[in-house]
Amino acid sequence: MASDSPESLMTLCTDFCLRNLEGTLCYLLDNETLRLHPDIFLPSEICDKLVNEYVELVKTDSIFEPHESFFTLFSDPRSTRLARIHLREQIVQDQDLEAIRKQDLVELYLTNCEKLTAKSLQTLVSFSHTLISLSLFGCCNIFYEEENPGGCEDDCLVNPTRQVLVKDFTFEGFSRLRFLNLGRLIEGVNVETLLRPLASLAALDLSGIQLNDVGFLTQWKDSLVSLVLYNMDLSEEHIQVIAQLRKLRHLDISRDHLSSYYKFKLTRRVLNLFVENLVNLSSLDISGHTMLENCTIPSMEEKMGQTSIEPAKSSIAPFRGLKRPLQFLGLFETSLCRLTHIPAYKVSGDKNEEQVLNAIEAYTEHRPEITSRAINLLFDIARIERCSQLLRALQLVITALKCHKDDKNIQVTGSAALFYLTNSEYRMEQSVKLRRQVIQVVLNGMESYQEVTVQRNCCLTLCNFSIPEELEFQYRRVNELLLNILNQSRQDESIQRIAVHLCNALVCQVDNDHKEAVGKMGFVMTMLKLIQKKLADKTCDQVMEFSWSALWNITDETPDNCEMFLNYSGMKLFLECLKEFPEKQELHRNMLGLLGNVAEVKELRPQLMTSQFISVFSNLLESKADGIEVSYNACGVLSHIMFDGPEAWGICEPHREEVVKRMWAAIQSWDINSRRNINYRSFEPILRLLPQGISPVSQHWATWALYNLVSVYPDKYCPLLIKEGGIPLLKDMIKMASARQETKEMARKVIEHCSNFKEENMDTSR
């Protein structure tokens, strides 16, 4: 299960070694084959951890690169010892098991390893003298071998190999084997023959196997303590055999009530038979069964008194014969789970949150079809009520999503549940580690499924996190996934809107290295394509506004991204948007903010020096859109252009002096106490306009900007101005003859504000 406790040193070291095999335990032979350093010996505690964590990383971490020769590192028991390993799915092939055949394995779990063939059956024989626990659950091809009917090489093209069922394999020689899982074994294998050599089985799982005759189970009536017959269509004969297995402590005869039609119905008599004969029973699962009503006691009696787990008060009549309450009782998708008095400490069902969580916990590993329905019930609980076991719920859903990364139903229901389990109501109850685990499984889901519902759920869940801070540890990956969504030819409108919002948030308030990296991924091009499409549709919606906002953020103090914007016809789109949407104030603010960033780059300013662009910027000086923001940003663009001096003014119309005049008029019209829709991380682009005499209006715009920000937001901007050396620059500017008197007065007020701020915040404690 997902954990909320800190990682152990062992786990951290294992993870580091696996991600850096060449730099730690191994070297590369012939530049391709991993080899263990000759002076290394690793005990089973470390080797088991390395193998099991390797499988987990390959399965759940898309940036982790698997090694073809990884399992060969454990081929020699003199340097590496393996004892207990759990291998899953497509990661494991015949040659991997073959590589570790000399190991004395005690426990080998193979789950849904569909690439394993009958070659691996022979490898299993290598472990026969030590193996105590074995699972072949879902290894559907392990009893098939390839056969070439033609018999010669030339015939292979005409008669390709075919799959032939191996019928002569048995567990002969597996003298120590006690625990065996053959769940979802393919039809045609004779289970009785296969198992007969095993002298004293303690636990057997035959999930999903249809056997008409299970009489052979009685050969273990003195040793079998656990029997799982999930989804086996039972009969009276089955029940009579089970009743003879008097040592059973765990019995699972549950079924998926949606999978197919079952004739068998559970009755009071059958449950009585179990209670009377299986006196050691502590765990029973009868989930999914159609229950005949004669199992329950009369309704009036059932509802009397406080809820009790005492067998004597049981609402399920046969269980009144139990000597003690059961440790576990599986009642998921049965009517019995809603009764008042159930004689068990833990119950799986659909009555309440506790029962639903128990169901997810019990069935996640091998029953995704049940788990997805249980998670769907949890989703309803989290959506409608308050989830009282939040930590456990989150951990269970994370585990299910990791375990069944390729199961669409679990990805849909799990991602939907995560959205509600991570919202702000629960934020304080979640650790950094747990929230990172949520982000990982959400990104896994986005990666594995292009399906609309999964993508929408995942994007919505990411919106519950502080962005970019909480996503920074997966920064590149999350951006790539979002851009992939936005670059799809057919897009769901709601997903597009959420994805653009997330992209915008991800490039806001991050360092320039991040912005440059995202720019190289195609971020600028993607946003411009979205804008182009919205223009073609004549639509100015949130996607349009977020796209311009994202471009504003990603170009902030990032010249490479500014250049991309110009190279990809960004100015053309700017003009078209202005023309098409003249009343959209938010849009104008975002566009002008972006162009302010472009104008800060000296090498790019010549591309803005056209009559058309300068006229547009000049006209926007008089805009009252969004308070002062559009006028302010237009003036900022022009201030940087003016800073290059009269000789850079390469156009006849409009005249430079005329534009300067309009800039002065605009600045004087602004309210110095205006609250701002802007967020400065650095004043460097503004401060560079102070120590110069070539453009007094640019100097004045910069001083006004500083005065406004330190006046309205002193706590944020006074320390920033002091830290970046703004005060000496302002003092030097006051001494300049070329500076206007009103600019100098404003500069003095800025200095005074910062001085007062420092005094007020000075620590006077002794």
Side-chain angles (χ1 to χ4, degrees), residues 225-229 242 245 248-254 274 278 281-286:
V225 295
S226 173
L227 178 63
V228 179
L229 303 177
I242 293 168
L245 306 174
L248 279 183
R249 292 202 293 268
H250 172 64
L251 173 63
D252 184 344
I253 56 167
S254 64
F274 290 162
L278 308 179
L281 208 60
S282 62
S283 172
L284 174 66
D285 202 332
I286 54 174

Side-chain angles (χ1 to χ4, degrees), residues 381-446:
I381 291 166
R383 180 172 58 91
I384 299 164
E385 311 163 27
R386 180 173 172 82
C387 201
S388 60
Q389 298 184 55
L390 173 72
L391 184 61
R392 185 180 174 212
L394 259 181
Q395 289 170 332
L396 287 169
V397 174
I398 290 168
T399 300
L401 286 166
K402 286 170 77 172
C403 189
H404 300 288
K405 186 179 170 185
D406 301 320
D407 186 294
K408 178 185 167 185
N409 289 332
I410 283 190
Q411 292 300 319
V412 169
T413 56
S415 57
L418 284 182
F419 171 69
Y420 286 100
L421 292 170
T422 55
N423 66 26
S424 55
E425 183 184 0
Y426 299 120
R427 176 69 184 90
M428 298 306 293
E429 299 173 49
Q430 297 163 12
S431 68
V432 170
K433 179 186 173 186
L434 197 63
R435 285 176 74 82
R436 284 192 168 195
Q437 288 174 333
V438 172
I439 291 165
Q440 291 275 28
V441 294
V442 163
L443 298 183
N444 287 346
M446 290 171 71

Side-chain angles (χ1 to χ4, degrees), residues 16 63 258 396 537 565 571 585 590 610 707 725:
F16 182 81
I63 59 174
L258 297 182
L396 287 169
D537 297 339
F565 170 79
M571 290 304 292
Q585 300 186 6
N590 293 343
T610 71
Y707 184 29

